[in-house]
Amino acid sequence: MSSAIRQIPLDTATRHHSHDYHQIVIALAGRADFDIEGLGGTIEAFCGCIVPANHLHYYAGTGNNRQLILDLPDDALALTGHHHELARLFDAPRFFTLDAPLKQFLGFVVAEMNQLALEGPVPALHQERLATTLLGSLHARLAGDETGAAHHRRIDLRALDRYIDDHLARRFKVADLAAFACLSETHFTERFRAQTGMSPWQYVMRRRLEASRQLLMRSRLPLSEIAALTGFAHQSALSRAYRKHYGHPPSQTRRHVSEISSPNLHHLTAKSAH
């Protein structure tokens, strides 16, 4: 696959996908919103974003928008050979704004593509040359620019907790949590483990067990119903997981609560008798 340069509007409905090639999107008119593996931003005229290969991204255009899009496979001439350093542009997603010289060059790229398109398909080699010059200029401006580098936002664990608790009775897949966080499953799992020290599955299990413990302490629901409410397939599955995590069976938690409350109940009954 060669580098490809195209001009298209983005759908105004939110879409999402990932692909095995790198991409640069630069707004020519209008605006578009992007969320690239959790890094969100808006691009307007002469602003753009870098989408590394295999990064899940959500996007939506606004109104009458028009975007210049560069599709760049790993083996593109613009990223290999003498230009291999340009591949560093795709180490992480980021947003950028073109300066005056780059705005002028972008105008040339658009005019050149439009002129050549009148005669038929734009030759692949010519597109590679235009892409290489644009990438080289971007790299010169963005390399070492720490303020412009993509700093991944942390996963919002409070929001994730609310999502898990609101859907606790259902069977979760890691893909469900990743989609909620606007990340691919692979990047979500890596970032989640780095942030929490546990896998998403271990985290969800901990939420299930804590919820079941609260229900045991605060309600008289049968264990089978508590299991269903907290996402366990059956009562024995809850009992096994509970014993492994807390070191004792669910019945002991409930019995302990009863023992604590019984003296108070006896005291209140005796006091009312007097």
Side-chain angles (χ1 to χ4, degrees):
M1 176 180 172
S2 301
S3 300
I5 304 175
R6 50 202 169 100
Q7 300 176 57
I8 60 169
L10 293 181
D11 198 327
T12 54
T14 300
R15 309 291 186 186
H16 70 277
H17 61 211
S18 62
H19 32 68
D20 60 2
Y21 51 87
H22 305 303
Q23 197 169 71
I24 289 181
V25 183
I26 301 175
L28 299 175
R31 54 174 283 182
D33 296 310
F34 279 80
D35 190 299
I36 312 163
E37 293 287 1
L39 181 72
T42 298
I43 61 173
E44 298 176 317
F46 302 114
C47 297
C49 62
I50 293 173
V51 183
N54 300 309
H55 276 52
L56 178 68
H57 49 289
Y58 290 72
Y59 60 93
T62 300
N64 186 25
N65 71 92
R66 186 163 58 96
Q67 318 295 327
L68 182 79
I69 299 179
L70 283 74
D71 297 326
L72 300 146
D74 281 329
D75 59 355
L77 293 179
L79 299 177
T80 56
H82 294 300
H83 310 298
H84 69 278
E85 278 296 318
L86 301 184
R88 296 296 303 274
L89 275 171
F90 302 97
D91 284 349
R94 66 195 302 173
F95 291 81
F96 59 85
T97 300
L98 301 182
D99 58 18
L102 268 180
K103 288 179 183 178
Q104 292 180 351
F105 181 70
L106 182 66
F108 167 76
V109 171
V110 171
E112 182 79 350
M113 292 291 294
N114 290 341
Q115 179 64 34
L116 292 172
L118 295 175
E119 304 171 5
V122 180
L125 185 57
H126 196 59
Q127 293 191 58
E128 290 281 5
R129 292 181 180 125
L130 293 173
T132 301
T133 302
L134 180 58
L135 288 179
S137 300
L138 271 177
H139 183 268
R141 288 157 172 77
L142 299 180
D145 176 15
E146 297 301 326
T147 60
H151 296 286
H152 289 306
R153 62 170 170 80
R154 292 169 63 84
I155 294 173
D156 187 342
L157 292 180
R158 289 187 179 181
L160 193 67
D161 286 347
R162 289 193 296 271
Y163 176 79
I164 293 172
D165 293 346
D166 288 345
H167 303 84
L168 206 58
R170 61 175 284 196
R171 304 294 174 81
F172 277 111
K173 295 180 180 178
V174 175
D176 297 327
L177 303 179
F180 177 77
C182 297
L183 297 170
S184 66
E185 187 172 340
T186 299
H187 285 85
F188 174 81
T189 300
E190 291 175 352
R191 197 179 307 177
F192 190 91
R193 188 180 289 278
Q195 187 171 330
T196 66
M198 65 182 77
S199 71
W201 170 244
Q202 290 171 324
Y203 190 86
V204 170
M205 178 59 71
R206 190 179 69 173
R207 299 294 297 181
R208 293 192 194 285
L209 289 169
E210 176 59 25
S212 65
R213 189 174 75 90
Q214 292 298 320
L215 287 171
L216 284 166
M217 295 172 64
R218 298 177 182 180
S219 76
R220 302 306 301 172
L221 292 172
L223 192 58
S224 59
E225 190 169 343
I226 290 176
L229 288 172
T230 54
F232 289 93
H234 42 70
Q235 178 177 328
S236 60
L238 169 57
S239 296
R240 284 197 302 271
Y242 198 97
R243 184 189 292 272
K244 182 178 180 180
H245 185 75
Y246 291 110
H248 57 79
S251 57
Q252 184 173 325
T253 296
R254 178 159 278 174
R255 187 166 56 249
H256 180 65
V257 173
S258 298
E259 289 171 353
I260 292 175
S261 59
S262 293
N264 293 332
L265 179 62
H266 175 75
H267 175 73
L268 291 172
T269 303
K271 186 174 180 180
S272 63
H274 290 292

